[in-house]
Amino acid sequence: MTDEPGGLIHPELRSERNESPVGPAGQRLQHAEGTSQPLRSKIRERQPRGAEVNGRRPIDHEAAAARFIAAPEHEKMHDERLWDLRSKRDAQMHAIPEWEELRELASQIKQHTLAHLDEYLEQFEAAAKANGVHVHWATDGAAHNRIVHGILRDHGAKRLIKSKSMLTEECGLRDYMAATGIEVVETDLGERIQQLDDEPPSHVVVPAVHKLRRDVAEVFSRTLGSDPDTDEVPYLAERQREATRPLILSADAGMTGGNFAVAETGSFVVCTNEGNADLSANVPALHIASIGIEKLIPRVEHLGVFIRLLSRSALGSPITQYTSHFRRPREGGEMHVVLVDNGRSARLGMAEFWTSLKCIRCGACMNTCPVFRRSGGLSYGATYAGPIGLILDPTFDKRKYSTLPFASTLNGSCSNVCPVKINIHEQIFAWRRVLAEEHEIPLVKRQMMQAAGAVLSRPALYRAAISTADSALRFLPRFAVYNRWNAWGAGREMPPAPKETFHTWYARTHPAADKGSGDGSA
Amino acid sequence: MRVALFVPCYVDAFEPQVGIATLELLRRFDLDVTYPFDQTCCGQPMTNTGCHKEAAATEALFVRNFSGFDHIVVPSGSCAHQVREHMTAIPQTPAVKAVRERTLELVEFLHDVLKVDAFPWAEFPYKVSYHNNCNALRGIGHAAPSELHGPFFSKPLDLLKKVKGLELVQLARPDECCGFGGTYCVAEPAVSVKMGYDKVADHARAGAEYVVSADSSCMMHQQGCARRLGVDLRFIHIAQVLNGATA
Ligand code: SF4
């Protein structure tokens, strides 16, 4: 035994790790930022790209995750940044004695609203119309895009500025618009970075969190003409601002999402840290808001519960910098709300999975997820990554996303941080069963499990299978491994084989004990 | 009190001394301990993969083996969790329900049922970091998880504090999953191994000489990672420490 842990030989263990939430300049970072300790390497590590997406072919999360891990600067930064957000979230939680009551309340308000969604949607529509808002209904992403395009066309709009919205990602709005000749400019900094790099967001709250500053400098130098060797945040932010502000000021239409839609008032609320939703909504005279039908809450007073939870869970800050309420178009302007279903009412009918609709997209489950932190959001090859993605994505396509519910250790941390108490890890577990029942898991895996089940239910057969240490080593990891015998040994040593099993020891030391029947008939 | 000992398949094959320590420890409390001889597994590998139908016969065998006892004690949080929460591939008859309810993890059994207040035979003069298996922590409530707002408690630490000489060290990320995750460890080996390396690094930075846990499976994975990294960490099951293992 060495007396101090410094005697370790692997370099990974020697690097200092600072878990304290303090930025590189020594200040405590409070809002919307997670810190990490950069690795100082000489070679320039390229940003790993996400999963390959090939039609309906099942996403290979494992391969994409392995690529992410093979880029240690990125992986370490990503893990630490998000862990820092989780730590800040914990600190915020501890400052609120009634935290668990708030979560319970939030969960109940959402469940109640979802159970009466038809009524609240009608109430919202009526109230919004009374406020002078145009209300549209979109059954799916395509309908949503057509509606938005139609509004823009009617106004002769050439440029749309928008704030971040996972729903428009879900609908593929940007791709759709590219074909119409209408320019779309993202106004959220992270989302803008992703747009310029032609990548989807990797996280619902911090879309470019998988990028090093250097990666951003590279994107900006390529697309905005900034200095590729300067990766200071103020410089990069300023260059982006200079490049984007003129586009914003001369835009014809603005688009936002909506974090909450209030049925009684017909109003909706958008929470941002950059104030960009306000730019999108207020600079042009035309404001379109795309809102998923599950965003409804009955009354304004319920916001008191959700607003307290949202940013604390997401970023560990007490509140977002801007919480903007939109109720009616401004004078001379027009306001449109597009209420989007896109699979939500079908999900509402799924007995085991409907509560996933409670999600307020805070991203806390991603920040805490040890697999997400080490694989990056793009490795999931889907609009929604991380724990919430594992349970939402298969509702869009069971085949394509059939592998995702297996990208989890089922550790349960996600369910515990979720501000609306979605039993995320239990739904991941349930999805595995549904996918196996519907033959969406590889046949070889099913056959392996059939074989394992056959052996494990027959004591004599089982004992024969593991009778020597050697055969135990072959059988036991294998019933988990199916055809991937090397999966254990690539990064880990095999356990040493003991000279006898507990079972053999017991038989030897308890000669008088009942030795069973061997066929399990008891 | 009639107690049945369930020795998980991994423990049986790779860590027999954990089974032996559990049996010896239980016998110290004058319990009538039986080891049902036809036992195999709790069915976790199949249900963990979604293959519930394939687990049914194994679950039925489990119930036949373990019916009629006051308690079924298992030195593994994840197996206890599997039986209590996920043994649903077979019809839930009263016999099945009884077996499921009566299955306890060893720490719970010592802490909640026997309410043990001393382990006079145990002494472990080492720096120890404790690894909470995720199913033990969040599934069956061994301790207060760091994500939730509430008073701190930890059943395994309560027990370890009664061991002479044992010094607990603090991890930077105490509840972080080690990446074993049952079949996950081979389904996504890159992530699993990276999580294991990070966990091992956390133990080492905390200055631990020994890692103690109520789950051999997590420790097998972490030990495999530590050996590969060349980290001098030792791993020992809580049953062995409480039974008076000297190292
Ligand atoms: S599932 Fe819960 S924790 Fe995850 S994003 Fe949604 S609300 Fe947040």
Side-chain angles (χ1 to χ4, degrees), chain A residues 229-480:
Chain A
D229 297 320
T230 308
D231 62 6
E232 295 307 314
V233 174
Y235 170 78
L236 292 172
E238 195 48 40
R239 290 314 305 261
Q240 192 278 146
R241 194 192 308 266
E242 280 169 19
T244 312
R245 276 295 149 106
L247 302 178
I248 293 175
L249 293 176
S250 58
D252 311 302
M255 187 164 193
T256 65
N259 292 83
F260 306 98
V262 185
E264 67 170 352
T265 55
S267 61
F268 57 96
V269 174
V270 185
C271 305
T272 69
N273 279 308
E274 298 166 28
N276 58 306
D278 304 270
L279 283 178
S280 303
N282 294 320
V283 173
L286 173 61
H287 176 192
I288 306 170
S290 294
I291 301 174
I293 54 172
E294 86 284 15
K295 296 289 178 193
L296 266 279
I297 56 172
R299 301 223 287 270
V300 174
E301 66 188 50
H302 296 145
L303 281 170
V305 174
F306 291 101
I307 299 294
R308 290 184 77 194
L309 286 167
L310 178 61
S311 191
R312 286 187 169 90
S313 300
L315 299 164
S317 64
I319 192 165
T320 45
Q321 305 283 356
Y322 299 86
T323 301
S324 308
H325 298 244
F326 298 97
R327 188 163 188 155
R328 57 173 61 93
R330 67 167 196 254
E331 225 162 288
E334 242 180 74
M335 188 182 281
H336 293 256
V337 168
V338 188
L339 292 166
V340 185
D341 185 318
N342 203 30
R344 285 162 175 74
S345 44
R347 211 178 294 150
L348 198 51
M350 303 173 93
E352 286 180 284
F353 305 115
W354 71 275
T355 56
S356 62
L357 287 163
K358 292 189 290 183
C359 177
I360 58 173
R361 307 283 190 266
C362 72
C365 56
M366 303 175 175
N367 302 345
T368 201
C369 178
V371 175
F372 181 89
R373 272 188 267 112
R374 289 171 181 85
S375 53
L378 300 178
S379 66
Y380 297 78
T383 302
Y384 298 103
I388 182 64
L390 305 191
I391 60 176
L392 288 185
D393 298 324
T395 67
F396 292 105
D397 190 332
K398 274 188 202 141
R399 165 129 330 136
K400 185 170 180 179
Y401 304 119
S402 58
T403 49
L404 295 187
F406 295 90
S408 163
T409 63
L410 300 176
N411 63 77
S413 183
C414 46
S415 305
N416 279 352
V417 296
C418 178
V420 288
K421 294 182 83 167
I422 301 172
N423 57 338
I424 308 171
H425 73 297
E426 288 168 9
Q427 292 193 30
I428 297 172
F429 181 78
W431 266 113
R432 293 184 182 183
R433 198 200 69 245
V434 170
L435 293 166
E437 280 168 5
E438 302 189 8
H439 305 283
E440 296 291 3
I441 68 170
L443 184 63
V444 55
K445 198 164 174 175
R446 281 258 323 268
Q447 286 168 340
M448 203 63 207
M449 290 303 148
Q450 270 162 7
V455 173
L456 289 168
S457 57
R458 293 177 178 82
L461 204 59
Y462 171 69
R463 288 295 153 197
I466 65 157
S467 59
T468 66
D470 236 33
S471 58
L473 278 172
R474 270 200 311 278
F475 178 72
L476 277 179
R478 252 185 104 141
F479 68 63

